[in-house]
Amino acid sequence: MENVVTWEQYERAQRLHPANYYDAIFNAFIRPNWISGNQFWYIRELRLEKGTGRQYVIVDAEQNTSQPAFDHERLAVCLSGNAGKTYSAETLPLGELMFTESGSAFQFEMDGTVWKCDLQEYSCKPIDHFKKPTMDELPSPDGKWVAFIYDHNLYVRSLETGRRIRLTYDGKAYYDYGTQPECRLSTVAERLNGSKLPPVVIWSPDSKMLLTHRLDQRKVREMHLIQSVPKGEGVRPVLHAYRYPLVGDEHVPLAELVICNLETRTIVRIESEPLQACPVSPLTPGMQMAGWSSDSKQIYITRMSRDARSVDFSVADACTGEVCTLLREQSDTFLNQDLHNLGASNPNIRLLADGSFIWHSERDGWSHLYHCDGKTGAIRNPITSGPWTVRRLMAVDEQQGWVYITGGGLEEGRDPYYQHLYRVRLDGTGLSLLTPEDAEHDIVFSPTMKYFVDTFSRVDLPPVTVLRSVDGSLIRELEYADVEMLLEMGYQFPERITVKARDGVTDLYGVMLRPFPFDSSRKYPVVDYIYGGPQIINTPKAFALDPGRNHDPLGGGQSLAQLGFIVLILDGMGTPYRSKAFHDVSDRKLEEAGGLLDHVTAVRQLAERHQYVDVDRVGIWGSSGGGYASTRAILSFPDCYKVAVSACGNHDQRLYIAAWAERYQGLYDPVLYRDQDNARLAANLKGKLLLVSGDMDDNVHPSQTIRMADALVKADKDFDMLILPNRHHGFSMEPYFIRRKWDYFIRHLMRAEPPWGNQIANKKASDKEPIEK
């Protein structure tokens, strides 16, 4: 070993674990809660001497005012007197606020009790009769009903009277109503955690009908997990079964669409073939393949073929269930119409009031929107066009004639992945930019479509939240994220980089973090953080934070930089949000691992640019698809990658969920699926490889890792393997795994020694106290 990494470096690295440094950031996530068409409230975070406080702020967009939503001191005194517990004005734990129409009172939930506060008298009292929807209930748009599942059937409950109404009667196990399929990649984890899911239902806009499905899983084959360390007093291993179709399986979950009419208590069955429900229901928000027209008279249906090479668009009459197919699109390569509009409640499709519809397609080689005839399905006109990418259909203001979208690649000289907000007329004229800042933009519209709240940021620009008029004009600045404490902890803004792809022409965009402290005269080892799937990008575009705190967009990059590594994150060819040709590089070539060859090319370019990049000490790590890619990298390019940490990798797509592999690789063919199997390359291993899996991973089955290990054993190759008991798919944020990953790169890539040596058991990163705000 060349040297010893110090305790100080490990402690700095641990402090910059996202679970800790998120608490050193204030006002990065501003979510407006609209009270009316003009007013909304949000929570402003306060940096206190110890910990975080909160202030509830109300904004009036029409009056251009911003002020505390109420007198926090008076409310704290009122609550303390009524609840028998002392509350501070700076830390009121009110949760969601529900204001009355006049704004003179509001309701909130605190410590499990719903309270009502009169803002004239500042009198507070608990509401005993208030029936809040539970986690397994789905409220109607008018707030009067909730839908829920009981004994395989769909019910509704009145929030006003408590009355329950049964809507279906013939549901049974594995042929039931309103449920998610068991292949949703988290079934066993949810069972063990006691999670309760709301029904898979889309309420009609008028709250009178429910679009749901009867889910047929009766013939779907089972997978099994053995829980070797069961919770509780028992020691006997527990077997868990769940239905999970693999590539080539004959049967997948199928969703038979039905409409339940709340007023007539009748069921209308949609007269069409069932939709695939793999890996999730086709009615799942953000992934939905069907939905309502605004007048509640029709539903639309998009039916993707199992190999994702064709898609039909149909409309159905909500009263009769009669279906009319209007459009079919086919492709020699996989279709990626972004029907899966992640983060949105609707896909990039709209039924319009005049019967026409908006359709999303890459038919001209780029992601764009089209205005189509509602009777013939013929394209009336492109709404957008050109060498840039529409990302999300945000809203349609039919009254004013505007379509609002986010897109990237239109603004010259900017990262083409940055989403900007635009508006355009339905006939394709009048395209205008509404968010001018060179950054990633996150948009929330007001219900009246007169205003929107815009939070923009980059990896090197902390979030800024502003209020704009619908024409893009600035009304007021709301918040600037406070990252002072974060920078004091040693956080570094990632450096945005551009390199050339394997073709020597195409620009690729990524980020790089340099070691801390940095000495340009030294050579530093490189860790490439990769994800190898063709369905998403891996490089963060917004400020690198996850509001759910269960994912690190930088892949632990801040900590690795503190330990002395250069960290690279890059999206190669074969990934989305560029041209279709760029994305099609992955078609029937999952062995490309999301542009792995481009990563090799990028490392070499960086070494040519910067003498401090040690091209002879390059490591790689990733989780899930990144677990596949990191193993693929060290086996395919052993002269480039010397060390790999591979977490829960899907090393052979034949053993993974049918819907994912068949979409990108095609329907099962032994020749087509031969080369993507990492086990076939086991004999190529030269460097150090750590395989990691949770024994309860119901997404990527642990047998994937064990089969990879078996191939390495047969090839007589040395490798390391770690099985984490009672861990599911997402353990990349766990301190134990993180510390083991650090140690592995320190020992085998940096050729140094962690500070503890054999004292490892007495000093764990998980023992550290979290950083307080």
Side-chain angles (χ1 to χ4, degrees):
M1 298 293 177
E2 294 180 354
N3 60 342
V4 174
V5 178
T6 66
W7 276 112
E8 181 185 12
Q9 285 177 278
Y10 261 69
E11 287 170 351
R12 285 202 311 262
Q14 196 277 334
R15 285 171 63 87
L16 284 169
H17 183 300
N20 292 333
Y21 73 60
Y22 279 11
D23 288 332
I25 306 166
F26 301 82
N27 297 311
F29 305 111
I30 304 301
R31 285 292 173 263
N33 301 271
W34 291 91
I35 304 168
S36 64
N38 302 323
Q39 291 186 323
F40 64 90
W41 64 269
Y42 71 92
I43 296 174
R44 172 181 293 149
E45 293 180 323
L46 306 175
R47 194 207 299 192
L48 305 180
E49 185 175 340
K50 188 173 184 180
T52 305
R54 53 171 52 188
Q55 181 185 55
Y56 293 82
V57 178
I58 195 164
V59 177
D60 189 311
E62 187 170 344
Q63 300 299 321
N64 191 9
T65 59
S66 175
Q67 60 189 13
F70 48 81
D71 188 322
H72 290 62
E73 287 284 355
R74 289 185 68 183
L75 184 60
V77 171
C78 173
L79 282 174
S80 298
N82 286 275
K85 182 178 178 180
T86 302
Y87 291 99
S88 164
E90 293 179 318
T91 58
L92 287 170
L94 305 186
E96 297 293 312
L97 309 183
M98 293 174 286
F99 284 86
T100 60
E101 191 170 333
S102 65
S104 62
F106 67 94
Q107 295 176 355
F108 56 90
E109 183 179 0
M110 187 177 67
D111 298 333
T113 301
V114 177
W115 294 78
K116 183 175 183 179
C117 176
D118 185 316
L119 291 178
Q120 304 299 319
E121 304 291 334
Y122 275 88
S123 59
C124 299
K125 60 182 180 179
I127 304 175
D128 296 329
H129 66 276
F130 184 82
K131 300 295 184 182
K132 182 183 176 182
T134 60
M135 292 295 293
D136 55 351
E137 295 179 323
L138 186 69
S140 59
D142 63 9
K144 295 180 179 180
W145 298 90
V146 290
F148 65 97
I149 302 296
Y150 177 74
D151 194 24
H152 311 300
N153 284 290
L154 180 64
Y155 291 72
V156 293
R157 175 173 66 89
S158 169
L159 288 175
E160 297 173 334
T161 66
R163 180 189 177 195
R164 300 180 181 217
I165 300 173
R166 183 173 181 173
L167 298 177
T168 68
Y169 291 85
D170 55 347
K172 56 186 178 182
Y174 295 110
Y175 195 29
D176 47 7
Y177 289 91
T179 58
Q180 285 281 6
E182 287 193 344
C183 61
R184 62 185 176 275
L185 311 181
S186 56
T187 293
V188 177
E190 290 163 1
R191 284 182 199 163
L192 293 174
N193 292 333
S195 301
K196 295 183 177 181
L197 301 178
V200 184
V201 164
I202 303 177
W203 283 91
S204 62
D206 62 9
S207 298
K208 296 179 180 179
M209 291 174 284
L210 305 91
L211 172 63
T212 187
H213 54 60
R214 192 177 189 189
L215 184 64
D216 190 353
Q217 302 181 87
R218 291 172 294 180
K219 295 181 180 180
V220 178
R221 298 181 66 182
E222 289 185 335
M223 291 278 277
H224 300 88
L225 290 169
I226 297 177
Q227 188 177 17
S228 298
V229 188
K231 303 287 179 71
E233 298 180 3
V235 296
R236 184 182 296 273
V238 177
L239 180 69
H240 297 270
Y242 57 108
R243 303 199 176 201
Y244 183 108
L246 299 180
V247 169
D249 279 3
E250 180 181 359
H251 300 288
V252 297
L254 296 174
E256 302 169 4
L257 296 181
V258 298
I259 294 175
C260 299
N261 191 307
L262 188 57
E263 291 185 329
T264 63
R265 310 289 194 270
T266 56
I267 291 179
V268 175
R269 301 192 182 274
I270 305 303
E271 298 175 0
S272 66
E273 293 297 314
L275 299 180
Q276 291 183 70
C278 181
V280 296
S281 161
L283 304 185
T284 302
M287 302 282 281
Q288 69 188 65
M289 304 292 281
W292 287 94
S293 61
S294 59
D295 61 6
S296 302
K297 293 181 179 180
Q298 289 183 314
I299 65 166
Y300 64 82
I301 306 165
T302 53
R303 176 176 289 98
M304 186 76 76
S305 64
R306 184 163 170 172
D307 64 356
R309 266 66 181 175
S310 67
V311 63
D312 293 342
F313 177 75
S314 307
V315 293
D317 187 289
C319 295
T320 66
E322 184 178 348
V323 174
C324 176
T325 298
L326 295 175
L327 180 152
R328 165 167 284 190
E329 190 157 323
Q330 294 179 297
S331 173
D332 293 333
T333 56
F334 59 78
L335 288 166
N336 194 64
Q337 296 175 287
D338 206 9
L339 298 174
H340 296 172
N341 194 0
L342 298 177
S345 58
N346 292 303
N348 289 338
I349 296 171
R350 291 292 191 280
L351 292 180
L352 304 179
D354 66 355
S356 64
F357 63 96
I358 295 175
W359 178 248
H360 176 266
S361 174
E362 290 181 314
R363 62 178 56 207
D364 72 348
W366 296 85
S367 167
H368 285 299
L369 299 180
Y370 297 84
H371 186 204
C372 300
D373 188 273
K375 293 181 179 179
T376 66
I379 293 176
R380 291 182 178 176
N381 61 268
I383 300 173
T384 59
S385 61
W388 59 285
T389 301
V390 171
R391 293 281 294 277
R392 290 177 59 184
L393 171 55
M394 296 292 296
V396 180
D397 186 345
E398 295 188 64
Q399 199 169 33
Q400 299 297 321
W402 289 108
V403 178
Y404 293 85
I405 59 173
T406 65
L410 184 57
E411 307 308 312
E412 188 175 352
R414 297 186 180 182
D415 186 325
Y417 295 94
Y418 289 158
Q419 292 189 81
H420 294 78
L421 182 69
Y422 301 88
R423 70 176 180 180
V424 60
R425 295 291 184 185
L426 199 59
D427 63 4
T429 62
L431 179 69
S432 60
L433 173 67
L434 305 181
T435 53
E437 296 83 4
D438 181 10
E440 173 80 353
H441 293 262
D442 182 27
I443 307 298
V444 180
F445 277 98
S446 68
T448 59
M449 294 295 301
K450 293 178 64 177
Y451 311 99
F452 64 89
V453 174
D454 172 20
T455 298
F456 59 88
S457 70
R458 297 189 304 262
V459 292
D460 56 358
L461 174 69
V464 178
T465 303
V466 299
L467 174 65
R468 300 185 191 275
S469 176
V470 76
D471 64 1
S473 58
L474 180 67
I475 296 176
R476 69 183 299 114
E477 296 170 343
L478 297 174
E479 299 291 344
Y480 285 79
D482 178 356
V483 297
E484 181 181 354
M485 286 178 60
L486 182 68
L487 298 178
E488 290 173 355
M489 292 166 59
Y491 184 93
Q492 301 181 73
F493 292 128
E495 176 185 348
R496 294 179 289 148
I497 61 171
T498 304
V499 297
K500 293 297 182 183
R502 69 191 80 172
D503 60 7
V505 177
T506 305
D507 284 334
L508 302 178
Y509 299 82
V511 300
M512 183 174 72
L513 288 93
R514 302 174 195 233
F516 178 87
F518 178 68
D519 180 354
S520 62
S521 66
R522 291 183 54 189
K523 278 191 174 292
Y524 293 97
V526 178
V527 174
D528 183 357
Y529 171 53
I530 192 170
Y531 181 81
Q535 80 278 23
I536 60 172
I537 61 172
N538 195 40
T539 306
K541 298 301 172 182
F543 198 72
L545 300 171
D546 171 29
R549 299 190 177 209
N550 55 13
H551 169 65
D552 178 7
L554 291 173
Q558 289 290 338
S559 297
L560 287 167
Q562 296 288 331
L563 293 172
F565 296 98
I566 292 170
V567 178
L568 170 67
I569 311 175
L570 181 78
D571 291 297
M573 299 179 75
T575 52
Y577 308 140
R578 303 282 291 273
S579 68
K580 181 165 177 56
F582 185 96
H583 200 181
D584 279 350
V585 170
S586 288
D587 186 64
R588 295 180 175 90
K589 292 183 181 179
L590 287 178
E591 58 270 19
E592 292 267 341
L596 179 56
L597 180 56
D598 296 313
H599 285 248
V600 176
T601 304
V603 169
R604 291 169 179 164
Q605 289 179 55
L606 292 174
E608 291 173 359
R609 292 181 193 175
H610 309 295
Q611 62 86 25
Y612 52 79
V613 174
D614 191 343
V615 75
D616 295 321
R617 290 188 295 167
V618 180
I620 188 167
W621 98 271
S623 179
S624 192
Y628 174 84
S630 54
T631 298
R632 192 82 186 178
I634 201 169
L635 298 179
S636 297
F637 301 98
D639 294 333
C640 177
Y641 293 105
K642 304 305 194 300
V643 181
V645 175
S646 171
C648 48
N650 50 320
H651 300 287
D652 184 349
Q653 314 315 323
R654 295 174 301 172
L655 195 58
Y656 193 49
I657 188 78
W660 188 84
E662 290 177 349
R663 175 172 186 144
Y664 299 106
Q665 195 74 355
L667 299 180
Y668 180 67
D669 174 86
V671 175
L672 184 62
Y673 275 78
R674 179 185 60 200
D675 291 341
Q676 58 78 37
D677 183 2
N678 277 346
R680 290 175 54 83
L681 304 179
N684 293 356
L685 181 63
K686 294 181 181 179
K688 303 294 293 187
L689 171 62
L690 173 61
L691 299 173
V692 190
S693 178
D695 71 340
M696 295 300 292
D697 191 338
D698 46 3
N699 181 338
V700 175
H701 197 276
S703 61
Q704 291 261 22
T705 295
I706 295 171
R707 289 182 75 258
M708 190 67 230
D710 179 62
L712 292 165
V713 170
K714 290 176 179 176
D716 196 25
K717 295 294 181 178
D718 292 343
F719 66 98
D720 297 285
M721 187 163 73
L722 172 64
I723 301 297
L724 296 171
N726 282 323
R727 290 340 189 260
H728 302 277
H729 193 60
F731 54 75
S732 62
M733 294 279 280
E734 286 200 18
Y736 181 78
F737 168 72
I738 291 171
R739 197 266 299 164
R740 291 293 302 271
K741 178 180 65 179
W742 293 349
D743 289 354
Y744 207 76
F745 284 128
I746 290 289
R747 287 193 170 101
H748 302 299
L749 189 62
M750 188 175 285
R751 301 164 192 159
E753 184 65 32
W756 35 63
N758 293 328
Q759 303 174 28
I760 199 88
N762 299 321
K763 188 78 173 177
K764 297 181 180 179
S766 58
D767 293 334
K768 306 291 184 185
E769 290 293 327
I771 306 254
E772 292 185 340
K773 277 189 177 180

